[in-house]
Amino acid sequence: MPFGNTHNQLKMKFSSEQEYPDLSKHNNHMAKVLSPAMYERLRSKQTPSGFTLDDVIQTGVDNPADDELPDLSQHNNHMAKVLTPDMYRRLRERATPNGFTIDGVIQTGVDNPGHPFIMTVGCVAGDEETYEVFKELLDPVIEDRHGGYKPTDKHKTDLNPDNLKGGDDLDPNYVLSSRVRTGRSVRGFCLPPHCSRGERRAVEKLSIEALASLTGDLKGKYYALKNMTDAEQQQLIDDHFLFDKPVSPLLLASGMARDWPDARGIWHNDNKTFLVWVNEEDHLRVISMQKGGNMREVFHRCFCTGLTKIETLFKERGHAFMWNEHLGYVLTCPSNLGTGLRAGVHVKLPNMSKNAKFEEVLKKLRLQKRGTGGVDTAAVGGVFDISNADRLGFSEVELVQMVVDGIKLLVEMEKRLEKGQSIDDLMPAQK
Amino acid sequence: MIHEKAIMPFGNTHNNFKLNYKVEDEYPDLSKHNNHMAKALTKELYGKLRDKQTPSGYTLDDVIQTGVDNPGHPFIMTVGCVAGDEESYEVFKDLLDPVISDRHGGYKPTDKHRTDLNYENLKGGDDLDPNYVLSSRVRTGRSIKGFTLPPHNSRGERRIIEKLSVEALTSLDGEFKGKYYPLKSMTDAEQEQLIADHFLFDKPVSPLLTCAGMARDWPDARGIWHNDNKSFLVWVNEEDHLRVISMEKGGNMREVFRRFCVGLKKIEEIFKKHDHGFMWNEHLGYILTCPSNLGTGLRGGVHVKLPKLSTHPKFEEILTRLRLQKRGTGGVDTASVGGVFDISNADRLGSSEVEQVQMVVDGVKLMVEMEKKLEKGEAIDSMIPAQK
């Protein structure tokens, strides 16, 4: 001793090319940095204790897999159908300007393999740029989810209630209530899976200011989740307005419940017909509803008065809503892109719902049914929640028109069946 | 629309982005919180630490997220913070040192921790009365140097940890010869058996753990290894890289501890051969995910029948003096059934493995004697111990 690092000297008998490790399948920090030229420069060196370049890099050579690719073999969601190993390797090189990465996009889909019958989306956006930086994954997901919507397609936005035909005379003996909901994201802030406390609080502050300036029948009050009184909480529950900390692992795994209940709250007008959720699954969820079948009025209140006024106020403070001509309104979940709109009614269809053609009729009308507890609930007493199935590729007016026309037809069919008459001549064509 | 093609690592863009917001806007609302992190983290301290990150990119918000999301319990003091890597304990020492001190009985930043895994230094422990002591168990955790910890690690890291662990464990022989069962490819029959043996761990449901991010990608690279004798068990990639458990029926804690020490040493040797020792330093001992498990990470305990002693007014005081804690036989947060308690060491940091197991051995021996006295209707006042 000392041996003079005999072993490393021996290796110098082989050329640099012969000694250079095969890093072609490697994806670690060392492999990214160690070029053949660098290997040649450094391989003759050693530390005073005899540690050589090969010693430094051995662990990185032996373990090529930073094998980061998620195991999606048990999975059934849109993300898992689309994400290939090569796509993952390409996309993990990237990040949005706010630091959102591919693992952030897909974590919820990795953690929740999905359901054999219900196709979940399995990915979320952390900011507006996600849809651009990770378009290689999200475009096919969007196409699959939104009926073949292509990356080159343009989405139509039409919030003008005057363009809606009819909708004020759905039979209240059948149509018990009418409701429209949508979401909005505030440009300049990250979305709920990724936003920091500071951003979330800034979104809340802007929202409160904007909502506080509403007047007339939209005048209302904001209830912050974190300092709600017991009485206020009970009232909001009774009104079916209160939202709670998400329990669904689909939402939790994406990180949108962090810091709960900080900067979350509910605003509603005194008339209890216009409601805004702040910082739940999206920056804003906007809901308009009332008893009976006047969908026209509900639509008018939601968009003409409510949203337009709020949007103006946000713009005045330098924060428009996230929107572009390809994806329409940008929201957290790709399933809500476009209009983000679900317009629906609670309607009594005890006879129609038992008819063999019920599912087919809904499909042709581009409508979907849910139980009256919302998604994943069963119908009670023949009362169904019927709403538009589409979100992207149709305008708001077009979607609400489909609901209005479709419900009118379904009620007619119900009345026929009540009288024991046939509905064959009423069957619609595919919209 | 701009997008950046960044080369990994990304330089923690997100954390830098948050610095655009003022400290008071980013500082969490801890007004309703009761955990060690909330007690220690002032706004000023948050401001001081928020721009820092460990070499692997772990930030202050990562450390504290679990404590922000889980305000805590009025009676049970949770820790409220976790480490994402070995360096967390250094980079965020201004927060973690006071948390450690509070949790570990005043342990100072300058204190040195003693490690002693020489089972021969244990006195006695082979003769706890099996009429009272139903089973004996020792568990600890180990982290593998060079990898980040469960709240932070990637799928690739977790899989390498699993690979290295399986290699190490499957090379064991003699009393340690055994088999590995990965969670994701377990058969129904294997699962049933592991449940019946009380070996199986499941995806964490506690929000304390899930909010820290350690359940990501479940069940990828998670598994259970045990020897054929079913007396030595290793959990891979649950709350720590490795959880090592030695157990058997009856009161021979000495033998349980022997097997524990011998098995651990063998495993450590194999990891060292591949240049992956366990995370350890002379201040904090063995480095684990939760600050509450630093030091020895050791919980040595027994299931013991103490129906009379447990109803004695001095029971709690005796436990405190003996530096022991009680749990129900279902583990932490369960109630005792039929007067049977899980009694184990309360300390982790500042005393060695031998010292902690000695306290269990001596303490349980004393409590069984007390139980016998109470059975005969005799007083136990003269037996009440001094504070250890």
Side-chain angles (χ1 to χ4, degrees):
Chain A
M1 300 228 302
F3 299 116
N5 219 340
T6 331
H7 189 209
N8 204 41
Q9 295 306 317
L10 177 73
K11 288 191 244 176
M12 297 301 291
K13 293 201 166 110
F14 296 85
S15 71
S16 183
E17 291 74 35
Q18 284 172 309
E19 286 292 342
Y20 183 70
D22 177 357
L23 301 172
S24 55
K25 294 193 169 39
H26 286 58
N27 186 27
N28 55 45
H29 299 311
M30 177 277 290
K32 283 184 186 308
V33 166
L34 187 70
S35 64
M38 187 187 291
Y39 184 81
E40 182 159 10
R41 273 200 310 279
L42 295 178
R43 72 181 189 123
S44 60
K45 300 192 186 318
Q46 66 190 61
T47 70
S49 72
F51 209 64
T52 66
L53 178 65
D54 278 342
D55 294 324
V56 172
I57 68 173
Q58 193 61 51
T59 190
V61 174
D62 288 346
N63 296 294
D66 266 19
D67 179 14
E68 293 290 345
L69 186 70
D71 177 353
L72 301 174
S73 54
Q74 311 292 325
H75 288 59
N76 183 41
N77 56 51
H78 286 295
M79 179 277 293
K81 281 174 73 178
V82 169
L83 187 70
T84 64
D86 284 338
M87 187 190 291
Y88 181 77
R89 282 187 200 104
R90 277 192 295 276
L91 291 180
R92 70 188 294 249
E93 300 288 310
R94 322 180 101 204
T96 68
N98 306 312
F100 200 60
T101 63
I102 187 65
D103 281 342
V105 176
I106 66 172
Q107 193 66 55
T108 179
V110 176
D111 289 346
N112 296 288
H115 194 276
F117 305 146
I118 299 166
M119 193 68 158
T120 46
V121 177
C123 50
V124 291
D127 51 24
E128 191 166 9
E129 295 83 352
T130 300
Y131 287 103
E132 185 58 35
V133 172
F134 300 107
K135 68 195 305 5
E136 193 184 344
L137 168 69
L138 293 173
D139 277 352
V141 167
I142 288 166
E143 186 163 348
D144 208 11
R145 179 64 174 210
H146 294 282
Y149 193 76
K150 295 192 294 300
T152 47
D153 283 340
K154 299 268 179 284
H155 171 78
K156 292 185 296 283
T157 293
D158 181 0
L159 296 163
N160 189 344
D162 293 336
N163 291 341
L164 184 70
K165 299 193 208 19
D168 53 354
D169 61 350
L170 299 172
D171 189 337
N173 292 312
Y174 294 83
V175 179
L176 307 178
S177 61
S178 307
R179 180 183 186 269
V180 174
R181 70 88 160 148
T182 186
R184 290 291 186 265
S185 306
V186 182
R187 186 161 275 166
F189 299 101
C190 296
L191 298 172
H194 193 49
C195 68
S196 70
R197 281 180 294 272
E199 288 184 285
R200 208 184 291 113
R201 290 166 181 172
V203 168
E204 186 193 35
K205 187 159 169 289
L206 279 170
S207 303
I208 292 173
E209 278 175 28
L211 293 163
S213 65
L214 294 175
T215 58
D217 80 319
L218 290 180
K219 186 167 152 330
K221 187 179 166 188
Y222 182 72
Y223 302 85
L225 247 57
K226 75 173 167 184
N227 47 32
M228 208 174 270
T229 68
D230 286 345
E232 287 167 341
Q233 184 171 301
Q234 196 51 55
Q235 187 59 56
L236 288 164
I237 291 171
D238 294 339
D239 292 328
H240 305 287
F241 284 175
L242 188 64
F243 68 90
D244 217 341
K245 180 170 181 176
V247 292
S248 164
L250 298 173
L251 298 180
L252 294 176
S254 73
M256 59 180 82
R258 286 168 301 124
D259 314 312
W260 202 275
D262 198 311
R264 274 84 167 188
I266 293 166
W267 180 99
H268 70 79
N269 65 350
D270 299 336
N271 295 344
K272 295 189 182 178
T273 55
F274 191 65
L275 168 67
V276 179
W277 289 353
V278 178
N279 286 320
E280 197 238 6
E281 186 186 327
D282 285 294
H283 288 164
L284 300 172
R285 281 288 178 97
V286 179
I287 300 147
S288 175
M289 59 212 222
Q290 67 191 51
K291 297 253 181 259
N294 196 341
M295 179 61 88
R296 187 184 185 83
E297 189 170 79
V298 170
F299 182 60
H300 187 277
R301 179 189 310 112
C302 183
F303 292 101
C304 179
T305 37
L307 261 178
T308 319
K309 286 200 157 63
I310 299 169
E311 183 161 19
T312 308
L313 288 152
F314 271 97
K315 272 194 184 142
E316 277 169 14
R317 283 159 182 76
H319 289 284
F321 290 148
M322 289 183 198
W323 180 93
N324 65 59
E325 59 171 11
H326 168 50
L327 295 177
Y329 288 101
V330 175
L331 294 174
T332 301
C333 183
S335 70
N336 279 321
L337 291 166
T339 60
L341 182 144
R342 192 172 93 85
V345 298
H346 282 189
V347 58
K348 283 198 274 205
L349 300 170
N351 291 297
M352 185 60 206
S353 57
K354 295 204 205 66
N355 187 282
K357 297 221 180 242
F358 184 44
E359 299 283 348
E360 194 192 325
V361 169
L362 287 173
K363 206 148 177 276
K364 294 206 168 168
L365 295 174
R366 308 192 74 88
L367 299 177
Q368 61 171 214
K369 73 182 197 302
R370 302 179 183 192
T372 49
V375 69
D376 295 335
T377 65
V380 175
V383 181
F384 285 82
D385 176 318
I386 309 280
S387 63
N388 53 294
D390 303 302
R391 303 275 184 273
L392 176 65
F394 298 90
S395 74
E396 289 81 355
V397 166
E398 285 169 341
L399 293 178
V400 177
Q401 193 71 65
M402 280 188 240
V403 174
V404 161
D405 297 347
I407 295 297
K408 203 157 189 173
L409 180 64
L410 285 166
V411 170
E412 252 195 86
M413 287 174 157
E414 179 69 22
K415 287 172 173 172
R416 285 273 190 101
L417 293 171
E418 272 175 22
K419 292 185 232 160
Q421 293 168 1
S422 152
I423 54 168
D424 292 346
D425 62 307
L426 293 177
M427 289 297 292
Q430 178 67 54
K431 283 193 173 297
Chain B
M1 197 173 304
I2 46 158
H3 59 255
E4 299 189 353
K5 189 168 162 54
I7 298 176
M8 299 211 323
F10 298 116
N12 225 339
T13 330
H14 189 213
N15 201 45
N16 294 335
F17 177 71
K18 288 189 240 179
L19 298 177
N20 292 329
Y21 289 82
K22 298 203 286 282
V23 175
E24 41 275 9
D25 289 333
E26 288 292 346
Y27 178 64
D29 179 352
L30 301 173
S31 53
K32 296 190 170 44
H33 288 59
N34 185 39
N35 56 51
H36 286 296
M37 179 279 291
K39 282 175 74 179
L41 188 69
T42 61
K43 190 158 68 106
E44 290 65 39
L45 186 56
Y46 184 81
K48 185 174 172 204
L49 295 177
R50 70 176 185 135
D51 62 346
K52 304 201 182 314
Q53 64 191 60
T54 67
S56 76
Y58 207 61
T59 65
L60 180 64
D61 277 344
D62 295 325
V63 172
I64 66 172
Q65 192 67 54
T66 180
V68 176
D69 289 346
N70 296 290
H73 193 277
F75 304 145
I76 299 165
M77 193 67 159
T78 46
V79 177
C81 51
V82 290
D85 50 24
E86 189 166 7
E87 295 81 359
S88 296
Y89 287 103
E90 189 54 40
V91 173
F92 302 108
K93 69 196 305 0
D94 287 346
L95 169 66
L96 295 174
D97 278 352
V99 168
I100 288 166
S101 182
D102 209 11
R103 178 64 173 210
H104 293 282
Y107 194 76
K108 295 191 295 297
T110 47
D111 284 338
K112 299 270 179 280
H113 172 78
R114 289 185 299 283
T115 293
D116 182 0
L117 284 162
N118 192 340
Y119 65 91
E120 281 165 348
N121 289 342
L122 184 71
K123 301 195 206 19
D126 54 353
D127 60 350
L128 299 173
D129 188 338
N131 293 311
Y132 294 83
V133 179
L134 307 177
S135 61
S136 306
R137 181 184 186 267
V138 177
R139 70 88 157 149
T140 190
R142 289 293 185 264
S143 307
I144 302 170
K145 215 170 165 64
F147 297 100
T148 62
L149 297 173
H152 191 44
N153 61 17
S154 67
R155 282 180 292 273
E157 286 190 285
R158 212 185 287 114
R159 289 164 180 171
I160 297 175
I161 290 163
E162 185 192 36
K163 184 163 165 288
L164 289 171
S165 302
V166 172
E167 274 175 29
L169 294 165
T170 50
S171 71
L172 298 175
D173 59 6
E175 61 174 324
F176 296 107
K177 184 163 158 331
K179 187 177 168 191
Y180 182 69
Y181 303 85
L183 250 56
K184 74 172 165 184
S185 53
M186 208 174 270
T187 66
D188 285 344
E190 287 168 341
Q191 185 171 301
E192 278 308 308
Q193 187 59 55
L194 288 165
I195 291 173
D197 293 327
H198 304 289
F199 284 175
L200 188 64
F201 67 90
D202 217 340
K203 180 171 180 176
V205 293
S206 164
L208 298 174
L209 299 179
T210 54
C211 290
M214 56 182 85
R216 286 169 300 122
D217 314 312
W218 203 275
D220 199 310
R222 273 84 167 191
I224 292 166
W225 178 96
H226 70 79
N227 65 353
D228 297 337
N229 297 342
K230 294 189 182 177
S231 57
F232 192 73
L233 166 68
V234 178
W235 290 352
V236 178
N237 285 320
E238 196 238 8
E239 185 185 329
D240 285 293
H241 290 165
L242 301 172
R243 281 289 178 97
V244 179
I245 302 149
S246 170
M247 59 209 229
E248 66 185 52
K249 295 249 181 268
N252 196 346
M253 180 60 92
R254 188 181 184 80
E255 168 61 13
V256 168
F257 189 54
R258 181 205 66 81
R259 188 169 51 245
F260 175 81
C261 294
V262 171
L264 260 179
K265 268 215 173 76
K266 283 187 193 292
I267 297 169
E268 181 161 21
E269 268 156 28
I270 301 169
F271 272 102
K272 272 196 182 142
K273 257 202 288 215
H274 295 275
D275 288 320
H276 286 291
F278 293 147
M279 287 183 200
W280 179 93
N281 69 51
E282 59 172 9
H283 168 51
L284 296 177
Y286 287 101
I287 305 287
L288 294 174
T289 301
C290 183
S292 69
N293 280 321
L294 291 166
T296 60
L298 185 144
R299 194 172 90 85
V302 298
H303 283 188
V304 56
K305 285 198 273 205
L306 300 171
K308 296 202 149 30
L309 183 59
S310 58
T311 51
H312 192 283
K314 295 219 183 246
F315 184 46
E316 299 283 348
E317 193 189 327
I318 290 165
L319 286 171
T320 304
R321 288 184 179 208
L322 293 174
R323 308 192 74 85
L324 300 176
Q325 61 171 211
K326 73 181 196 305
R327 302 179 183 192
T329 49
V332 68
D333 295 336
T334 65
S336 90
V337 175
V340 181
F341 285 82
D342 177 319
I343 306 283
S344 62
N345 53 297
D347 303 313
R348 303 275 183 274
L349 178 63
S351 49
S352 75
E353 289 82 354
V354 166
E355 286 166 341
Q356 288 167 7
V357 176
Q358 192 72 64
M359 281 189 246
V360 175
V361 160
D362 296 346
V364 171
K365 198 160 192 171
L366 179 64
M367 287 196 291
V368 168
E369 274 175 44
M370 287 175 159
E371 179 72 20
K372 288 172 173 171
K373 278 268 179 105
L374 291 171
E375 275 173 19
K376 293 187 234 159
E378 293 168 14
I380 55 166
D381 295 342
S382 58
M383 298 170 77
I384 308 272
Q387 177 67 54
K388 282 195 174 296

